[in-house]
Amino acid sequence: MPAVWYELKHVCKQTGARYGILHTPHGDFETPIFMPVGTKATVKTLIPKEIEEVSDGLILGNTYHLWLQPGDELIKDFGGIRGFMKWDHALLTDSGGFQVFSLSKIRKITEAGVEFRHHKSGEKLFLSPEKSIAIQNNLGADIIMSFDECPPFNASYEYMKNSVDRTIRWAKRGFDAHKNPDTQALFGIVQGGGNKEIRKYCLDELQKIGFPGYSIGGLSVGESKEEMYDMLQYLKTIMPADKPRYLMGVGSPDDLIIGSMNGIDMFDCVLPTRNARHGTAFTSKGKIQVKNVSLKHDKGPLDPKCNCFVCTTYSKAYLNHLVKSEEILGMRLLTYHNLYFLKNLMAQIRKAIQEDRLLDFKEEFFKEFGYTK
């Protein structure tokens, strides 16, 4: 049996959304699933017990950052990320490609890989498909990513085609270099920006290589939501039904619902944790700026419909005080709540899919949350 495999259990009659089971060496997970981001072997401000409570047991680590600090060889010596951070559940790592390509002013792309400079020290560094896979082998996640280029969404046809051709070549090199295919599932990444022809070409070529799962990269990178949704609707019709589909870097409530409607099985994003550290909370009535002066004397819970530890224990007034005082506890409590909110949202999405009413759920949620048409 492969390291990761996917069982499609039900397709929503209203939307075509997929309910399934993702099997990994460290747990089986109902999909669609949202995966909290633990960039540096930590979901910021939370300990593993708390991460268990606000996730479904599958989280991310970041290859680029862990390679640079403390180093993948050191982490390997601790038994991988799992042993290093004392996380007993499943993990996914990215390839480092997105971080490298975001350093557009200080990097040089060659066929061999990418030369770039450390984002803080300025030290010269080099990352190739083989190096990315070797680092991820050391980090030991259940699911790992191919090293790819993330081109601008609206790049020219010539640039996009050349970029995707290189991504496909790099994907094959990474696939051949992968040392642990029986314990770590390597996903191919579908690139192509806003060009549907190139997206299909990329997917077709990656399928020839034979990955156990496919990620969608290069979305939520500055394009409009309409452009992103249009591309997801297209990819829904051509991606293999028997393999998991992972939309990278997307995690707002509306995107999770519409992404699920378009056949996505896996999501991740720093949005809920980053928002929390800046004092913004997700609630059933929409987003709340917790330091708003109107909450100073509010004795009610952050979200009356939420039964997480934060909402059943603390008042808005106390959370307002913590955030305005820039207390670390305020960041911790809002991080806990935001992730719990998305975990509960995904459970509602899965239930709606199984009951063939995801479109109805979307309309109900959008109305209550305050999203406009």
Side-chain angles (χ1 to χ4, degrees):
M1 195 63 74
V4 168
W5 72 101
Y6 174 79
E7 284 186 272
L8 177 59
K9 293 290 191 180
H10 185 79
V11 175
C12 175
K13 291 182 175 62
Q14 271 193 339
T15 62
R18 294 148 53 94
Y19 168 76
I21 306 292
L22 183 70
H23 300 278
T24 82
H26 292 90
D28 299 334
F29 304 96
E30 294 180 286
T31 61
I33 185 173
F34 177 80
M35 304 174 289
V37 177
T39 301
K40 300 177 183 179
T42 168
V43 176
K44 293 187 190 302
T45 77
L46 302 184
I47 63 172
K49 181 179 181 297
E50 293 165 333
I51 302 169
E52 288 178 355
E53 294 168 1
V54 298
S55 74
D56 286 308
L58 175 56
I59 65 172
L60 266 71
N62 183 278
T63 293
Y64 172 80
H65 288 290
L66 292 174
W67 170 45
L68 298 184
Q69 171 65 41
D72 56 296
E73 292 289 349
L74 184 151
I75 291 175
K76 180 184 179 183
D77 192 47
F78 280 82
I81 299 175
R82 192 172 289 102
F84 192 51
M85 70 176 286
K86 302 302 181 185
W87 173 250
D88 295 329
H89 307 285
L91 284 159
L92 180 152
T93 46
D94 60 11
S95 69
F98 182 80
Q99 284 71 32
V100 170
F101 288 103
S102 69
L103 305 170
S104 58
K105 295 180 181 178
I106 52 173
R107 50 96 168 150
K108 177 184 176 183
I109 307 170
T110 68
E111 186 61 27
V114 185
E115 301 171 6
F116 61 103
R117 291 188 179 273
H118 191 293
H119 63 287
K120 290 184 178 179
S121 70
E123 174 191 0
K124 285 186 177 180
L125 298 166
F126 178 75
L127 197 57
S128 67
E130 293 83 1
K131 179 67 174 177
S132 171
I133 297 301
I135 295 167
Q136 293 183 81
N137 286 163
N138 285 341
L139 297 178
D142 302 78
I143 304 172
I144 67 178
M145 296 296 125
S146 298
F147 187 66
D148 64 322
E149 180 185 355
C150 183
F153 185 81
N154 290 313
S156 69
Y157 181 91
E158 182 180 12
Y159 183 99
M160 193 70 75
K161 180 64 164 56
N162 289 336
S163 170
V164 165
D165 278 333
R166 186 187 302 111
T167 281
I168 293 164
R169 293 192 296 271
W170 283 357
K172 181 65 167 67
R173 283 167 52 188
F175 186 90
D176 292 341
H178 184 24
K179 293 180 178 178
N180 307 319
D182 294 333
T183 56
Q184 294 181 288
L186 173 60
F187 282 24
I189 302 180
V190 180
Q191 291 287 1
N195 189 301
K196 293 176 182 176
E197 174 192 333
I198 297 178
R199 286 275 184 181
K200 183 178 188 306
Y201 166 71
C202 185
L203 176 61
D204 289 346
E205 294 302 308
L206 292 175
Q207 285 186 263
K208 292 175 185 176
I209 298 171
F211 292 96
Y214 295 92
S215 304
I216 300 169
L219 292 180
S220 193
V221 292
E223 79 282 5
S224 69
K225 283 187 182 284
E226 289 73 19
E227 288 174 312
M228 178 173 75
Y229 297 157
D230 180 63
M231 182 56 70
L232 290 178
Q233 192 169 17
Y234 171 69
L235 291 172
K236 176 183 180 179
T237 65
I238 62 172
M239 295 190 77
D242 62 341
K243 301 289 176 69
R245 306 170 181 179
Y246 166 31
L247 178 56
M248 307 175 78
V250 170
S252 64
D254 54 339
D255 291 346
L256 293 175
I257 294 172
I258 295 177
S260 296
M261 290 171 62
N262 283 300
I264 300 301
D265 307 305
M266 304 161 64
F267 302 86
D268 84 281
C269 195
V270 299
L271 182 69
T273 49
R274 180 179 289 164
N275 274 6
R277 295 194 303 277
H278 288 90
T280 300
F282 295 134
T283 77
S284 57
K285 294 294 186 182
K287 290 192 291 187
I288 291 179
Q289 298 295 332
V290 178
K291 63 181 175 183
N292 193 305
V293 67
S294 66
L295 304 185
K296 184 174 182 179
H297 301 284
D298 195 325
K299 295 180 180 179
L302 188 59
D303 186 351
K305 291 191 173 183
C306 180
N307 62 357
C308 80
F309 165 73
V310 177
C311 291
T312 57
T313 306
Y314 299 108
S315 66
K316 288 197 194 83
Y318 181 61
L319 296 172
N320 171 267
H321 157 68
L322 292 176
V323 171
K324 289 178 73 174
S325 303
E326 299 184 348
E327 286 289 340
I328 294 171
L329 181 58
M331 298 181 190
R332 276 176 43 73
L333 294 178
L334 292 188
T335 297
Y336 186 101
H337 166 78
N338 279 356
L339 289 176
Y340 187 97
F341 181 89
L342 292 190
K343 176 184 178 180
N344 185 55
L345 173 60
M346 298 313 296
Q348 293 175 284
I349 289 172
R350 291 191 294 267
K351 187 170 187 289
I353 292 171
Q354 291 173 279
E355 295 175 353
D356 298 312
R357 58 174 187 85
L358 184 57
L359 183 59
D360 294 339
F361 173 78
K362 177 227 171 190
E363 292 174 354
E364 294 160 6
F365 182 91
F366 274 42
K367 182 177 180 181
E368 188 170 15
F369 196 83
Y371 284 126
T372 55
K373 295 285 186 182

